[in-house]
Amino acid sequence: TMEEVWNQDAYKTMRKKMLKGLKCKECTKCYEQESNGIFSLRNSINKTHGKYVDEVKQTKEDGEHPEFNLRYWDVRFSNLCNFSCRSCSPVFSSNWYKEHVKMYGGKPKADDGRELNVIEYAGRDKYDILEQMEPHFEYLDQIYFAGGEPLIMEEHYKILERLIELGKTDINIQYNTNFSEMSYKRKDVIEMWKHFSNVSVGASLDDSYARGELIRKGQDWQQTVDNRRRMIEEAPHVDFYVSSTVSVMNVHHVMEFHKEWTELGLIEAKDWDINVLHGPDYYRVDILPEDHKRNVLVPMIEQHLEWLRPQDSITRATIGYEGLINTILAQDNSQLVPEFVRQIDNHDKYRDENFWTTVPELAWLKEHE
């Protein structure tokens, strides 16, 4: 259970290390992001929940913490998803399962060797985690929905209904969503958002039109645009930004996509978040050859920053692109280019697609050694 996890040995060890200022292996992604100037999840949590810092004093010498009152929920009930994005896997997308079996000749496995089910629940069954969360509603002040795809999960709508019932409609609600479906059965999320005063939607969009549909398999681009226009019309109070996962697949085109949506009036220039992909390794932006990075790619991003900075009052997008440059230049992983090409061709074969035709600016990588 979550309560057992709260004071298990591994968690107590993390607390003790953090109190001594020592790094934890579980936090590697945040450390890498921060070293490249990216505002990490660790930074965000410290900023938002610093008001609870005095509760650290309750930590016992062995790392145990006596109060199990969850104020921030990062909710990923399952891997249920209607997309099978190229950089994803069955761990995070149920839609990936059949393709994994076709591509790799066997059922996907968890890190411990257990064969995964098509749909993997965070708890012992579909409603286990929801039931464990019930005692914590009174303490809740922020919730982050991810997945899978949260907007097609029944549990997500049950939580919103419970918050409305309790009158907790001023809490901070955040989303990471592929922004494809706005309803579940007869429940419409835009209608439900009208009850809440602090909703922020981060849409995982990596590119537009055919490029976007290729990278995020299952996406209907026109549906995405229609959903955004409806949201502007019916729920203008809801904060919206694009959370673009930047990999080698879209790094040359993400700036153009950013400008396009700004010029269409679907966002302001500042409403953009760069989520630099950290794995799989062969999709990372740092696999590109060094001369191409320095002579082509980085100048493109710097030119985009000249357009962006005067329009970015909150600097989120600016810091994201600056961190992207730092990540591009931090390591030389060009030895992974052949593996990138192999993986792209493998996906094309099983999806009956042609990546190189849709993203022609990367076709030269097929000749790189």
Side-chain angles (χ1 to χ4, degrees):
T1 65
M2 291 194 292
E3 188 167 10
E4 290 168 340
V5 169
W6 184 252
N7 278 314
Q8 70 177 186
D9 289 343
Y11 210 154
K12 291 192 288 186
T13 297
M14 283 184 69
R15 288 196 188 102
K16 289 190 291 184
K17 290 182 72 172
M18 288 182 171
L19 287 170
K20 293 178 181 178
L22 302 175
K23 289 188 174 182
C24 302
K25 68 181 188 310
E26 296 85 355
C27 305
T28 300
K29 181 177 178 180
C30 282
Y31 299 144
E32 182 181 355
Q33 288 178 328
E34 291 164 21
S35 69
N36 289 316
I38 296 172
F39 193 74
S40 71
L41 176 62
R42 192 179 78 98
N43 295 144
S44 176
I45 296 299
N46 283 340
K47 179 178 179 180
T48 308
H49 292 89
K51 58 190 175 184
Y52 298 120
V53 70
D54 285 345
E55 295 191 10
V56 170
K57 297 173 184 176
Q58 299 179 41
T59 309
K60 297 181 180 179
E61 192 172 337
D62 69 348
E64 180 182 338
H65 196 284
E67 288 194 10
F68 180 51
N69 301 323
L70 298 181
R71 294 180 171 84
Y72 169 69
W73 300 348
D74 184 325
V75 183
R76 301 159 194 259
F77 286 109
S78 71
N79 65 335
L80 179 65
C81 190
N82 54 339
F83 282 17
S84 52
C85 305
R86 286 211 177 205
S87 58
C88 198
S89 74
V91 174
F92 297 103
S93 169
S94 57
N95 231 31
W96 241 99
Y97 193 92
K98 288 183 180 179
E99 186 163 347
H100 180 98
V101 173
K102 283 197 306 181
M103 288 177 64
Y104 301 108
K107 295 180 180 180
K109 293 183 178 181
D111 291 340
D112 61 4
R114 175 182 63 86
E115 286 188 348
L116 295 175
N117 297 306
V118 177
I119 298 180
E120 287 283 324
Y121 294 107
R124 291 163 290 195
D125 56 52
K126 181 175 181 178
Y127 298 111
D128 180 32
I129 294 298
L130 191 60
E131 291 167 359
Q132 290 187 53
M133 290 165 68
E134 179 61 33
H136 300 275
F137 271 98
E138 64 176 292
Y139 306 105
L140 179 65
D141 61 22
Q142 183 174 347
I143 187 165
Y144 175 71
F145 289 106
E149 170 48 41
L151 297 186
I152 63 171
M153 293 182 187
E154 178 186 10
E155 304 94 315
H156 156 258
Y157 292 88
K158 284 182 176 291
I159 285 182
L160 293 191
E161 287 174 334
R162 184 72 173 124
L163 290 170
I164 293 169
E165 178 186 335
L166 293 171
K168 291 183 70 71
T169 55
D170 61 344
I171 69 165
N172 188 341
I173 301 177
Q174 298 176 311
Y175 288 87
N176 178 264
T177 169
N178 62 36
F179 207 60
S180 61
E181 300 293 338
M182 296 289 105
S183 63
Y184 172 82
K185 296 184 177 178
R186 294 185 178 182
K187 298 170 183 176
D188 186 292
V189 73
I190 291 181
E191 288 299 319
M192 297 184 81
W193 284 340
K194 293 176 183 179
H195 292 272
F196 296 91
S197 55
N198 295 298
V199 179
S200 183
V201 177
S204 294
L205 308 175
D206 298 342
D207 213 326
S208 55
Y209 302 98
R211 293 168 179 263
E213 293 175 346
L214 180 86
I215 296 171
R216 293 193 173 270
K217 180 76 169 180
Q219 184 179 72
D220 178 329
W221 186 247
Q222 188 57 53
Q223 180 186 38
T224 301
V225 174
D226 290 346
N227 287 343
R228 178 58 187 141
R229 294 197 185 280
R230 182 191 165 208
M231 187 178 167
I232 292 170
E233 181 70 25
E234 298 183 25
H237 73 290
V238 175
D239 174 54
F240 178 90
Y241 63 94
V242 173
S243 179
S244 189
T245 297
V246 181
S247 68
V248 70
M249 292 184 283
N250 68 332
V251 68
H252 293 81
H253 208 254
V254 67
M255 293 80 72
E256 186 176 335
F257 174 34
H258 185 180
K259 279 187 176 180
E260 174 192 318
W261 263 46
T262 303
E263 290 167 358
L264 287 172
L266 298 174
I267 59 168
E268 294 183 36
K270 63 181 177 58
D271 299 327
W272 201 267
D273 181 54
I274 294 293
N275 175 33
V276 181
L277 182 137
H278 285 259
D281 289 348
Y282 48 80
Y283 284 144
R284 287 174 56 111
V285 291
D286 56 15
I287 74 164
L288 292 165
E290 288 296 296
D291 59 341
H292 182 81
K293 291 179 185 178
R294 296 181 183 279
N295 298 326
V296 178
L297 185 54
V298 169
M300 287 174 63
I301 301 172
E302 288 175 339
Q303 183 178 9
H304 184 70
L305 280 166
E306 291 179 11
W307 167 84
L308 172 64
R309 285 192 179 101
Q311 306 177 74
D312 187 13
S313 58
I314 61 176
T315 71
R316 173 176 57 191
T318 299
I319 290 172
Y321 282 108
E322 290 170 346
L324 175 60
I325 290 174
N326 293 335
T327 305
I328 288 168
L329 298 177
Q331 299 182 74
D332 178 7
N333 279 318
S334 55
Q335 76 278 0
L336 292 172
V337 168
E339 180 61 17
F340 167 71
V341 172
R342 191 183 76 80
Q343 291 289 341
I344 289 294
D345 287 343
N346 204 23
H347 278 86
D348 280 353
K349 174 183 176 182
Y350 286 98
R351 295 184 172 188
D352 193 25
E353 296 174 342
N354 191 321
F355 177 90
W356 311 110
T357 299
T358 307
V359 189
E361 67 268 22
L362 292 180
W364 63 277
L365 288 176
K366 292 188 289 183
E367 310 301 325
H368 179 78
E369 295 183 1

